[in-house]
Structures are given as C-alpha cells and as structure tokens.
Amino acid sequence: MQNKIGINKLIYKGFTLIELLVTLSVASILLSVAAPSYRGFVQDSLLIAQSNSFSSAIALAKSEAIKRNGRATICPSTNSTSCTGGVVWSNGWIVFADTNSNGAADADEQILQVGAALSGGNMLSGSKSRITFTANGFSMGSNDTFSLCDSRGAAYSKKIILNNQGRLRFETGPGTCS
C-alpha cells in the first residue's frame, strides 16, 4: 500500500495578503494612539524621579543638620566640590556639613552627597543659591519654590516648595519654566 496525497487533500496554512494588510492596519492605528500617551508617561516618570531625588537631598541636609547639631547646606554645583552661586540646579548639587556657617563648601567641610545633573533636558531652578538648615531643622531665609520643567512647558511642571520650617510640599504645574 502506497500512501499517496492528492492535491485536493493539501491544507494550506497562513495568512492571505488581505488578512495581513488588515492586521497591519489595526496594529498601526493602535500604535499611533498609544505612542503619545507612552511618551507622556515616560516624561512624567522622569519628572517624578528627579523631584524625588532633589527632595531627598533636601531631606538629607535637614536630617544631617539636626544629627550634627550644626548647619548643613545644599547648593547648586557643576564640579561636585563647590557651589556655583547660581539659582539653576539642573547641573547638579552638593549637600555638605557647613561647620563654619559661611554657606560655601570649604576644603575642610565634609560633602555628604553629590546630586547628578538632570537628564532629558529637564530644568530645575529656584530663586535661592543655597538652602541652609540649622540645628533645629529650620531653613530660615531659605524658603523657596523650585520648578522642575521638561519640554512640555509650565503646565506639566513639578513644583517643590520649601517653607522656613524646612517642610516640603509638592504641586504639579504651572511652574516657572525658562
């Protein structure tokens, strides 16, 4: 007995050209709808991560001032060793024990943390060139509103607000983006 397969008994499996075109059309429509919202999700996540990083540096400065029973300062820095003196914090910052209370990171003062520059072209700015916490955890005279902005503008910005008692609070938009 010989096993013969006839042409009419062959079963072809696969997609027709029309089925493939319909599938690709549906996939492209779904991707065109999902891509912008995914981009917004990524941008929101980056802003949240960066605001958390900056606020944790502020919290570290406050806790170190209390722990050391002295002053601790956070300031913008581009070289990880000294303060730049400006009000743009996007290029990084340092937290240091300010033992002589001059608001500058001197060679004999310990740098407690170095904050990296912000990624994604995001901008962090405030109106103060440094925040100094005293031994009681207050930041008298260092109250400020920091605006963290991305390419979407002020409506999507994150604001980090520090009051004189050293308390942080957060708001979303509209910050001062420049």
Side-chain angles (χ1 to χ4, degrees):
M1 237 165 117
Q2 196 173 5
N3 197 0
K4 292 185 179 182
I5 300 176
I7 293 286
N8 57 353
K9 292 187 177 182
L10 284 178
I11 300 173
Y12 294 100
K13 295 184 179 181
F15 294 108
T16 65
L17 183 58
I18 293 181
E19 290 172 332
L20 182 62
L21 288 175
V22 168
T23 304
L24 289 175
S25 297
V26 169
S28 66
I29 291 169
L30 290 175
L31 283 175
S32 67
V33 170
S37 61
Y38 178 73
R39 182 171 186 228
F41 172 75
V42 170
Q43 288 175 312
D44 287 342
S45 296
L46 183 59
L47 282 178
I48 290 168
Q50 290 171 342
S51 69
N52 287 344
S53 176
F54 184 65
S55 62
S56 68
I58 291 173
L60 173 68
K62 179 179 179 175
S63 68
E64 285 293 326
I66 295 168
K67 181 177 92 174
R68 294 168 183 268
N69 197 28
R71 291 181 180 261
T73 299
I74 178 172
C75 64
S77 177
T78 55
N79 61 7
S80 304
T81 58
S82 64
C83 299
T84 60
V87 295
V88 175
W89 297 72
S90 307
N91 298 320
W93 55 82
I94 56 172
V95 178
F96 61 96
D98 193 7
T99 55
N100 61 7
S101 302
N102 69 350
D106 299 320
D108 61 335
E109 293 174 328
Q110 182 182 6
I111 294 179
L112 305 169
Q113 185 186 60
V114 175
L118 301 183
S119 61
N122 293 356
M123 190 74 158
L124 176 65
S125 61
S127 62
K128 306 277 195 235
S129 61
R130 70 175 177 265
I131 303 166
T132 300
F133 289 94
T134 58
N136 62 6
F138 285 16
S139 59
M140 298 304 287
S142 294
N143 60 313
D144 200 357
T145 299
F146 300 91
S147 294
L148 178 59
C149 303
D150 63 11
S151 61
R152 296 176 292 176
Y156 294 92
S157 67
K158 303 287 184 202
K159 292 193 291 190
I160 303 164
I161 303 162
L162 176 68
N163 68 12
N164 281 325
Q165 288 75 34
R167 181 178 173 267
L168 286 174
R169 67 183 172 93
F170 304 90
E171 291 181 8
T172 299
T176 306
C177 300
S178 52

